[in-house]
Amino acid sequence: MPPQLPSQNQKGPRILQGDPGTLSPAFKEFVDANVSLCQPEYLHICDGSDEENTAILTQLEEQGMIKKLNKYENCWLARTDPRDVARVESKTVIVTRDQRDTVPTPLEGGVSQLGRWMSPEEFDKAMAQRFPGCMKGRTMYVIPYSMGPVGSPLSKIGVELTDSPYVVASMRVMTRMGKAVLSALGTGEFVRCLHSVGCPLPLKKPLVNNWPCNPEQTLVAHIPDHRQIVSFGSGYGGNSLLGKKCFALRIASRIAKEEGWLAEHMLILGVTNPAGEKKYMAAAFPSACGKTNLAMLCPTLPGWKVECVGDDIAWMKFDDQGNLRAINPENGFFGVAPGTSAKTNPNAMETIVKNTIFTNVAETSDGGVYWEGMDQALPEGVTITSWKNEPWSKEDGEPCAHPNSRFCTPAEQCPIIDPLWESPEGVPIEAISFGGRRPEGVPLVYEAFSWQHGVFIGAAMRSEATAAAEHKGKMIMHDPFAMRPFFGYNFGQYLSHWLSMADRPGAKLPKIFHVNWFRKSPTAGFLWPGFGDNIRVLDWMFRRVNGEAIAQPSAVGYLPCHDSLNLQGLQEDVDLNELFSLDQEFWQREVEDVRKYFTTQVNHDLPKEVAQELEFLQQRVKKI
């Protein structure tokens, strides 16, 4: 660890709330060490109460960091500094003694796309440059929080120390936090999270939008061996709400490897057919590829029902009966706003009208929110202020909301939240889908031939880049398991861990599928209507899980037999031949691209079973 500076404030910070003396020795030691390092003026131990939340929101409003949206109940708008709007993958690192514990060694010394490694020495230096005195003049908030229902055997506890009241308000939505978590923790283990916006008081330069951040010094570091997360310089959710991707995926994936379970970037939904039979499914898509829309689907097929357990992260563990049980470790939805509308996701639109914090969306003059793809006509005379806090009109030629603008909203408000969404033992997963944005070549749905083939399909996932991170443009990027930015350890070992699930005695392995809602025709846009009509694909998967003979083998996996997709009542003509066509040339290129990726990026850590599945695919493609 970096050198600890003695506090300038010899008496220590003034306690605004809570009693540090009641914390467990390990907890108190964690707080004391970082108080000494960061030198906050005040200390506030969060209890998660309504009174505390109201006080925090009031304080944020007084500081000009958020604005009340009078059109809705207890809803708020934050506008960030335009330099602090997304996850910063280039400044997100995993710290291990050996580089190969974090990432496979790329071929011929290339740069790894599967994570960024930092040595412990470099990390200590980075800490020493950033954290001493970084909270001067500010309050350090102590947030005890549970990922997963408090007390569930699948849940884990974290403690985040932060100088951002925006983080406190958001963590209250996204996690279970406060007194109940402190009681459940006792003297138990917890993940240590330290966050600072990196702007000690008095300020050296004026803030933009009253949003404290220090983009030049941003660093988001994970130290899996010490169960520790350190974030500096960014207030944006993905970098500052440390329970989210940092803990729930990067650190949790490493814990899961050690303890024999899976921490995945997956939605969880319950699907009930017209006969009343229910199944739970999980699905992994890259950020901004429709996870939230699928998790809150409004079925267009009569008699079907979809209920939401979670829209982003799944923790899954086999129980004693061999069922793969999943919990959603989160307590809220941190959804991408643009593209969310009454047509694409009416359930999300109903969820976000109260107790929601919006970030970087546009604001209407009648106290509401607005973004691209909302598809709502504004009342006459109502004007729009953009996320940059400037008057906006369609003629401006730029979006009114940032492409990665967000809503942070409580999951319990979702009208179709699943009755078992907080079940301590989790829900049984019978199907897992992978998918992404593939404008050409990839069919609407296919099923893996085996668990090993399914792991290969996850490993070979590719998708058009989106706005959720700092990448630009429409290039097709490799995004294995939709986890590329979130692996907490070497991807080759991660694949071996997934493959090992098949060796568990009595394990009832879910069927694995791949879906692609985004295939386009060269002339007429998307080939599949998507959204509520995706129930037709879930229906086929549901019947496949039940063992119905409605699939035929193809080069890529099992495809639906002729007439096995229920298209009854479909509002538009769909060209099934084009939607399911397999072009040999396209798939030969795909095989070569995946081979090149595996060879250069995963190199010696690629499990032989995955390499073998690629050879099998190549042989099948030759016969198309």
Side-chain angles (χ1 to χ4, degrees):
M1 281 298 291
Q4 308 281 317
L5 290 190
S7 172
Q8 306 303 302
N9 180 350
Q10 292 304 316
K11 293 180 190 154
R14 188 171 139 220
I15 312 293
L16 297 182
Q17 179 175 295
D19 177 2
T22 61
L23 305 176
S24 74
F27 193 152
K28 187 168 186 312
E29 186 189 344
F30 172 58
V31 173
D32 288 348
N34 286 296
V35 161
S36 164
L37 175 68
C38 304
Q39 298 170 31
E41 189 77 18
Y42 307 102
L43 188 73
H44 176 123
I45 300 171
C46 297
D47 62 14
S49 65
D50 289 344
E51 295 74 21
E52 174 183 76
N53 187 49
T54 303
I56 293 280
L57 292 168
T58 303
Q59 179 192 333
L60 282 164
E61 189 177 23
E62 284 167 359
Q63 290 173 357
M65 275 184 78
I66 64 172
K67 181 175 180 180
K68 197 162 183 32
L69 293 162
N70 292 321
K71 197 170 175 180
Y72 319 112
E73 181 190 334
N74 191 33
C75 286
W76 305 83
L77 172 62
R79 292 189 180 100
T80 73
D81 184 314
R83 298 170 301 166
D84 190 22
V85 293
R87 283 183 291 102
V88 190
E89 289 175 18
S90 55
K91 297 178 177 186
T92 301
V93 300
I94 309 277
V95 180
T96 51
R97 173 63 47 207
D98 183 352
Q99 182 167 354
R100 202 166 162 185
D101 288 341
T102 294
V103 285
T105 307
L107 190 68
E108 294 167 359
V111 176
S112 177
Q113 297 167 18
L114 289 161
R116 294 179 83 87
W117 174 74
M118 186 179 263
S119 72
E121 292 76 18
E122 222 184 324
F123 170 68
D124 286 350
K125 200 169 138 191
M127 281 287 288
Q129 283 168 352
R130 288 167 175 79
F131 278 92
C134 67
M135 295 188 186
K136 278 184 180 171
R138 296 190 180 274
T139 301
M140 176 189 277
Y141 297 94
V142 180
I143 308 172
Y145 66 95
S146 177
M147 297 309 291
V150 179
S152 160
L154 295 172
S155 297
K156 301 280 178 194
I157 285 176
V159 175
E160 176 162 359
L161 311 179
T162 180
D163 54 10
S164 165
Y166 170 86
V167 167
V168 179
S170 303
M171 285 289 282
R172 187 175 186 267
V173 175
M174 293 306 300
T175 70
R176 288 96 175 155
M177 68 96 126
K179 267 187 178 156
V181 179
L182 268 183
S183 308
L185 174 61
T187 56
E189 287 291 301
F190 60 96
V191 171
R192 291 157 167 75
C193 309
L194 173 63
H195 168 256
S196 173
V197 291
C199 294
L201 298 176
L203 291 170
K204 294 200 169 56
K205 47 188 164 185
L207 300 178
V208 180
N209 283 335
N210 299 308
W211 182 265
C213 63
N214 188 344
E216 293 79 19
Q217 291 289 310
T218 294
L219 179 69
V220 183
H222 309 72
I223 308 91
D225 290 337
H226 299 296
R227 306 286 191 255
Q228 189 183 353
I229 303 160
V230 169
S231 172
F232 186 90
S234 170
Y236 168 75
N239 305 319
S240 66
L241 311 182
L242 301 185
K244 196 158 180 54
K245 307 295 198 203
C246 298
F247 180 168
L249 290 178
R250 296 190 192 99
I251 293 290
S253 65
R254 166 69 184 270
I255 297 174
K257 174 182 172 256
E258 292 170 16
E259 296 181 355
W261 49 281
L262 300 167
E264 300 299 328
H265 189 204
M266 291 183 181
L267 65 93
I268 310 166
L269 52 76
V271 192
T272 307
N273 72 6
E277 184 187 356
K278 184 169 187 176
K279 295 188 185 303
Y280 288 95
M281 302 178 177
F285 307 151
S287 297
C289 282
K291 278 197 308 296
T292 304
N293 289 347
L294 185 63
M296 299 186 194
L297 185 100
C298 277
T300 53
L301 280 179
W304 283 82
K305 182 159 79 167
V306 167
E307 289 164 299
C308 175
V309 176
D311 78 327
D312 195 38
I313 296 171
W315 286 1
M316 304 184 285
K317 189 176 186 178
F318 284 101
D319 66 15
D320 296 342
Q321 286 74 50
N323 300 302
L324 186 61
R325 293 269 175 183
I327 62 165
N328 167 15
E330 299 192 289
N331 191 49
F333 304 124
F334 186 66
V336 175
T340 308
S341 71
K343 178 188 176 233
T344 62
N345 196 336
N347 289 311
M349 293 300 281
E350 210 176 309
T351 306
I352 60 181
V353 291
K354 59 181 182 182
N355 306 317
T356 298
I357 300 168
F358 295 93
T359 301
N360 288 339
V361 301
E363 178 192 7
T364 58
S365 55
D366 60 351
V369 291
Y370 204 76
W371 50 72
E372 275 59 40
M374 190 188 261
D375 296 336
Q376 279 180 10
L378 290 174
E380 203 175 327
V382 170
T383 57
I384 292 176
T385 302
S386 77
W387 74 278
K388 293 178 177 173
N389 204 13
E390 293 162 357
W392 182 90
S393 73
K394 284 194 170 121
E395 291 69 54
D396 288 359
E398 58 174 46
C400 63
H402 188 274
N404 192 43
S405 54
R406 298 278 173 161
F407 52 79
C408 176
T409 193
E412 65 183 5
Q413 292 179 188
C414 177
I416 57 157
I417 199 74
D418 193 89
L420 295 181
W421 86 280
E422 293 196 282
S423 158
E425 62 274 4
V427 296
I429 299 296
E430 295 187 64
I432 292 172
S433 286
F434 296 114
R437 287 178 182 267
R438 296 305 304 269
E440 56 179 313
V442 179
L444 176 64
V445 61
Y446 56 94
E447 178 192 328
F449 292 125
S450 65
W451 182 258
Q452 287 74 14
H453 182 222
V455 173
F456 164 76
I457 288 170
M461 268 175 71
R462 303 170 73 204
S463 185
E464 220 172 49
T466 70
E470 80 267 42
H471 302 291
K472 302 278 188 288
K474 294 278 185 191
M475 54 191 283
I476 302 285
M477 292 176 67
H478 289 270
D479 195 349
F481 286 76
M483 281 283 285
R484 182 194 52 75
F486 309 122
F487 292 119
Y489 64 99
N490 180 308
F491 173 54
Q493 297 168 19
Y494 169 96
L495 289 173
S496 298
H497 182 57
W498 263 79
L499 290 165
S500 74
M501 298 297 151
D503 303 327
R504 292 178 165 256
K508 298 172 191 164
L509 297 171
K511 276 188 179 291
I512 295 181
F513 300 86
H514 186 282
V515 298
N516 176 29
W517 320 128
F518 301 99
R519 193 168 183 175
K520 290 179 175 174
S521 101
T523 52
F526 291 114
L527 289 166
W528 179 248
F531 305 115
D533 284 314
N534 291 338
I535 189 64
R536 302 169 191 278
V537 174
L538 298 184
D539 159 52
W540 182 79
M541 288 161 52
F542 193 108
R543 288 181 284 140
R544 283 298 294 156
V545 171
N546 278 343
E548 287 189 34
I550 49 173
Q552 56 196 13
S554 77
V556 299
Y558 292 113
L559 292 176
C561 290
H562 183 65
D563 287 344
S564 66
L565 267 190
N566 183 349
L567 302 182
Q568 155 206 347
L570 194 62
Q571 295 297 305
E572 47 196 277
D573 287 339
V574 168
D575 185 341
L576 288 179
N577 290 333
E578 201 175 347
L579 201 50
F580 285 99
S581 65
L582 295 175
D583 178 76
Q584 188 183 47
E585 211 176 293
F586 172 88
W587 279 95
Q588 282 169 337
R589 281 198 312 273
E590 191 76 2
V591 165
E592 286 318 307
D593 284 343
V594 170
R595 174 176 286 113
K596 184 181 172 192
Y597 185 71
F598 284 173
T599 305
T600 57
Q601 287 293 316
V602 199
N603 201 358
H604 301 304
D605 290 312
L606 186 72
K608 63 180 187 308
E609 298 91 332
V610 176
Q612 196 175 29
E613 287 296 338
L614 181 62
E615 296 314 311
F616 291 158
L617 174 62
Q618 183 175 28
Q619 288 159 25
R620 294 190 301 263
V621 168
K622 280 179 184 163
K623 296 176 187 161
I624 289 179

